């Protein structure tokens, strides 16, 4: 059942206010440089404290776990009932916008605050979470917050010796910001009924399709490879075309071919070469070596693997024909993570009842939600990103669209926590 | 007429000795790092002084001009006759081999020294030149030595404010090494009968074709362009293939296409993309911008221009289809320089008489010889470069091949300076 929902203009205003306040907690004060809030940094800690007091003011009981995840709890009438969890991550990339991660936290706050005022205590407890970390921007590890909550990582032993750019270890940073104490609440959750994450799309599909809500069916699996091709760095003037072993021409053929293959396979497959380095990288010398990356994503594991097999055999074929030595180093492999069918269907029904144009889609980016399906049903809701821009100070979503997302989330939380029979 | 020529083994030995001695004048003493001898540096000045005393010992009268070019003169019986000039450049790139430039100087010395001993004074004066600079490695200007000799540059006013990496100007460096004085001999020559340059091929054509001598008919003309393509730096996961403006995929198509076009046009056309920079150059972000260079060379000016027109229109076409903004900046354009037909024919005849397998060819690299055709007939002789390697400590030519080149040069100098009727 769709409950009474908060008034859109008022919600938009409230979300905008909270996002602006949260964005103020940033390294650097020049707004043109956007928000930089790295795990366990002073601005990160201030942001978590700000959210903690905002939770308290909204009638939620805040608490931190030992990894620095912040939870704000609205107690349920059934104290033993599993917890309905919503939220996202508080950390940012360097020079980020103010929506990625932050939106899911503040929308959760606004939604739960509304529900408490309007409907009182729920049957099942609801918690809003501000995860410590998702981006992997300070230390070379991502999903540190949700990973600790979901049991992928254990803050006592995992990643503790990873270093940031200044040589500070993850453990040192964690302790310095007041976390990682043995007496603190453990991070791992085993009491969850559901996890719902609201997030900006970080892509341009919803905007182009003129949809207001995206319902994530699957978070894609990813494969990343480092490829190197090695030929011979000869003189650009004295080496006839027929005598060359041009590593850059070889890389160009590979990149052009992978793009065409990916286009043939069609959505939701994407394949990207985003990074390339040539050597010696001099205008009048044929490139003797080229290193580049390949990033492949698909929501279907079998198809992801099949495409990668094909792509790698194409690379080998092209290298062999051109007499280039090649080396392929896989360095990231994650499986596609399907969201809960039941929650996805509920979200779809809510959008239909609210007459919000929506699209079922895959998430091409990774999100905290992908950690949870092993623990509980998980769902993800997207709102459009203007021009698809994210990880940039130009990241933007209209307040009206922010409010729509929050209204869908409110309805979902109501169904999950207030109705006698949850989905 | 082919004169008596120096004994090959002895010549090989003498050339090797002189090349090793000259290579000792280098910044840095680690032989694995090769030779680094930049214009007007202390090692450069020592090398010129070494060559000056070697000239003197061989019976040539050495003198420097105001630009730092060193000439060793064997006077002619006809003091008013124009000068037969041979030699090459003494400077090197950073971490060079010991043959590029140096070989042409020491072979000239060995040839003239032999001719003087064997045949006494020539009819026309012969000079061996050690040009101050050709590579453009210290200051952003090339052919500084031969350019001053040929009147392309004037050391009094050209390039004097160009700076090296340490902020030292060309004028300061010139003065510090004792040149650029008003009282010194001017650099510009107007008394030349012919210029003959012996040089390593810096390519692999002679080796692959099993030839011992290359006779340069033309030094190629060159065009260089800086190309930039600009698309949109979107998220590699959330941007479907159909919504991308991927500047790197665009650059890859261009590079692949230019290579195929160049192969279709056939020799002696060469087209090279040797340098590429992508932005933001991150594995999981679609490249929003790519800058790369295009280097095109041909011995025929009309064909060089026609190919460049075609290549640039292909770049425009590809950019337009992909919705990429493009910018094309030409930054180098030189015309092909034909060598003297008469001298080329003489060289060919000499090779035939000496039973040396030879190939008439274009030089895909620029050389000092290209400055001279406006002043006098000019010729260029190549010897093979092992595996085509140059500008590297691995640069190598067998002593026997070095001797062959010196024997051909000796025969040419004899014909030009000792015979009553020069070619």
């Amino acid at each position: 059942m769709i409950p009474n929902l908060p008034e859109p203009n008022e919600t938009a205003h409230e979300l905008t206010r909270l996002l602006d306040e949260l964005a103020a907690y940033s390294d650097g004060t020049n707004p043109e440089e956007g928000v930089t809030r790295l795990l366990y940094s002073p601005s990160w800690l201030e942001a978590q404290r700000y959210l903690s007091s905002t939770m308290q003011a909204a009638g939620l009981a805040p608490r931190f776990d030992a990894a620095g995840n912040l939870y704000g709890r609205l107690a349920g009438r059934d104290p033993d009932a599993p917890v309905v969890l919503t939220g996202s991550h508080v950390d940012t990339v360097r020079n980020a916008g103010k929506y990625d991660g932050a939106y899911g936290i503040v929308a959760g706050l606004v939604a739960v605050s509304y529900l408490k005022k309007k409907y009182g205590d729920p049957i099942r407890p609801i918690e809003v979470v501000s995860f410590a970390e998702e981006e992997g921007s300070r230390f070379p590890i991502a999903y540190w917050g949700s990973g600790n909550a979901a049991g992928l990582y254990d803050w006592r032993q995992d990643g503790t010796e990873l270093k940031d750019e200044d040589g500070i270890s993850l453990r040192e940073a964690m302790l310095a910001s007041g976390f990682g104490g043995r007496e603190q609440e453990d991070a791992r959750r085993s009491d969850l009924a559901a996890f719902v994450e609201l997030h900006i799309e970080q892509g341009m599909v919803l905007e182009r399709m003129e949809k207001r809500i995206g319902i994530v069916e699957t978070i894609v699996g990813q494969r990343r490879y480092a490829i190197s091709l090695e030929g011979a760095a000869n003189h650009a003037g004295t080496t006839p075309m027929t005598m060359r072993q041009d590593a850059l021409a070889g890389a160009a053929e590979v990149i052009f071919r992978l793009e065409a293959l990916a286009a043939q396979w069609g959505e939701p497959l994407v394949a990207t070469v985003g990074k390339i380095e040539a050597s010696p990288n001099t205008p009048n010398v044929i490139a003797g070596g080229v290193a580049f990356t390949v990033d492949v994503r698909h929501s279907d594991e079998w198809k992801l693997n099949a495409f990668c097999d094909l792509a790698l055999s194409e690379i080998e074929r092209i290298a062999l024909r051109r007499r280039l030595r090649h080396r392929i180093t896989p360095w990231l492999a994650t499986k596609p993570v399907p969201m809960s069918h039941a929650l996805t269907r509920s979200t779809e029904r809510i959008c239909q009842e609210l007459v919000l144009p929506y699209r079922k889609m895959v998430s091409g980016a990774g999100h905290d939600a992908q950690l949870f399906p092993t623990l509980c049903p998980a769902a993800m809701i997207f709102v459009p990103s203007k021009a698809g821009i994210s990880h940039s100070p130009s990241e933007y979503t209209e307040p009206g669209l922010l409010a729509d997302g929050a209204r869908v989330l409110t309805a979902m939380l109501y169904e999950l926590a207030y109705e006698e029979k949850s989905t």
Side-chain angles (χ1 to χ4, degrees), chain A:
Chain A
M1 184 203 89
I2 297 282
N4 282 317
L5 291 177
E7 199 274 313
N9 280 346
E10 200 177 302
T11 308
H13 183 264
E14 183 67 359
L15 289 167
T16 304
R17 183 181 67 80
L18 290 168
L19 284 170
D20 285 342
E21 287 181 11
L22 187 51
Y25 300 98
S26 170
D27 297 346
T29 51
N30 184 347
E32 283 172 20
E33 292 173 2
V35 182
T36 299
R37 196 163 54 224
L38 304 183
L39 177 65
Y40 300 143
S41 67
S43 63
W44 174 93
L45 188 59
E46 286 168 19
Q48 287 289 63
R49 286 183 181 148
Y50 157 80
L51 286 169
S52 173
S53 53
T54 308
M55 286 168 172
Q56 196 134 37
L60 310 187
R63 71 178 193 287
F64 283 98
D65 68 21
N69 294 316
L70 167 65
Y71 294 93
R73 182 178 176 101
L74 179 63
R77 282 175 273 148
D78 175 355
D80 299 328
V83 174
V84 175
L85 183 66
T86 189
S88 191
H89 59 96
V90 74
D91 73 312
T92 70
V93 297
R94 288 166 211 276
N95 307 114
K98 53 188 178 188
Y99 302 87
D100 183 353
Y103 170 55
I105 304 169
V106 305
L109 264 167
V110 168
V112 178
S113 166
Y114 170 84
L115 288 170
K116 178 179 155 69
K117 263 190 243 158
K118 186 84 183 175
Y119 296 101
D121 288 342
I123 298 172
R124 288 163 286 276
I126 311 182
E127 293 186 13
V128 177
V129 62
S130 170
F131 286 122
E133 201 274 346
E134 186 253 18
E135 299 283 5
S137 294
R138 179 170 179 186
F139 298 97
I141 188 170
Y143 308 107
W144 179 247
S146 48
N148 268 286
L152 173 70
Y153 298 129
D154 181 344
W155 54 271
R156 290 175 197 79
Q157 61 195 57
D158 290 323
T160 49
E161 293 316 310
L162 293 172
K163 298 277 198 297
D164 72 3
E165 277 183 3
D166 299 323
I168 298 169
S169 75
L170 177 55
R171 175 185 296 279
E172 288 164 353
M174 183 164 61
L175 292 169
S177 64
F179 299 102
R182 300 279 156 176
E183 74 289 355
Q184 288 174 309
E185 183 185 356
D186 190 16
R188 188 157 188 173
R189 301 296 298 256
S190 56
D191 58 345
L192 299 181
F195 177 66
V196 185
E197 183 174 11
L198 178 58
H199 205 281
I200 56 168
E201 180 198 354
Q202 302 182 268
M204 61 185 76
V205 174
L206 294 175
E207 185 180 76
R208 292 269 176 103
M209 303 282 176
E210 299 185 344
K211 306 296 183 189
R212 296 181 75 85
I213 294 290
I215 302 171
V216 175
E217 294 185 298
T218 305
I219 297 175
V220 294
Q222 303 186 27
R223 298 273 183 288
R224 291 194 202 159
Y225 302 90
I227 313 287
S228 75
L229 298 177
E230 215 179 312
N234 294 120
H235 193 294
T238 62
T239 313
M241 300 308 289
T242 50
M243 295 184 188
R244 297 179 171 212
Q245 292 169 271
D246 183 335
L248 182 51
E253 183 174 356
V254 166
I255 295 166
F256 185 51
R257 177 82 183 125
L258 292 189
E259 184 196 40
L261 276 179
Q264 277 172 29
W265 278 50
E267 287 183 31
L269 182 110
V270 286
T272 307
V273 176
K275 184 173 182 180
I276 189 165
E277 304 283 357
S279 162
N281 213 30
T282 300
N284 59 349
V285 179
I286 297 162
V290 171
F292 60 96
T293 56
V294 177
D295 174 313
V296 183
R297 308 186 191 203
H298 200 296
S299 56
D300 179 299
E301 189 180 4
W302 189 88
K303 288 179 184 164
L304 176 62
N305 289 337
F307 182 87
C308 289
D309 288 348
L310 176 60
L312 299 186
S313 72
E314 284 291 286
I315 291 170
E316 285 175 26
R317 184 182 64 79
I318 290 168
L320 196 69
R321 180 166 45 70
R322 290 174 169 268
R323 299 176 298 127
L324 301 171
R325 289 180 297 286
H326 71 281
R327 195 168 62 239
I328 296 172
T329 312
W331 58 275
L332 187 147
T334 66
K335 292 187 184 192
V337 181
M339 298 290 99
S340 152
H341 283 288
L343 291 184
T344 300
R345 275 198 305 275
S346 302
T347 320
E348 196 173 357
R349 184 179 33 75
I350 289 165
C351 289
Q352 287 164 349
E353 294 189 28
L354 295 176
V355 201
L356 289 172
Y358 67 92
R359 179 182 168 87
K360 291 193 282 183
M361 61 193 297
V362 306
S363 171
H367 290 289
D368 291 310
Q370 75 197 44
L371 281 295
F372 287 90
T374 53
L375 298 185
C376 64
M380 243 199 124
I381 311 163
F382 280 164
V383 294
S385 291
K386 188 178 159 78
I389 296 166
S390 76
H391 288 189
S392 156
S394 312
E395 192 176 80
Y396 182 72
T397 300
E398 277 177 31
L401 294 168
L402 295 176
D404 284 346
R407 281 155 56 85
V408 172
L409 177 66
T410 306
M412 288 187 75
L413 294 177
Y414 180 86
E415 292 190 358
L416 287 165
Y418 284 83
E419 293 193 343
E420 283 300 333
K421 218 178 174 182
S422 81
T423 38

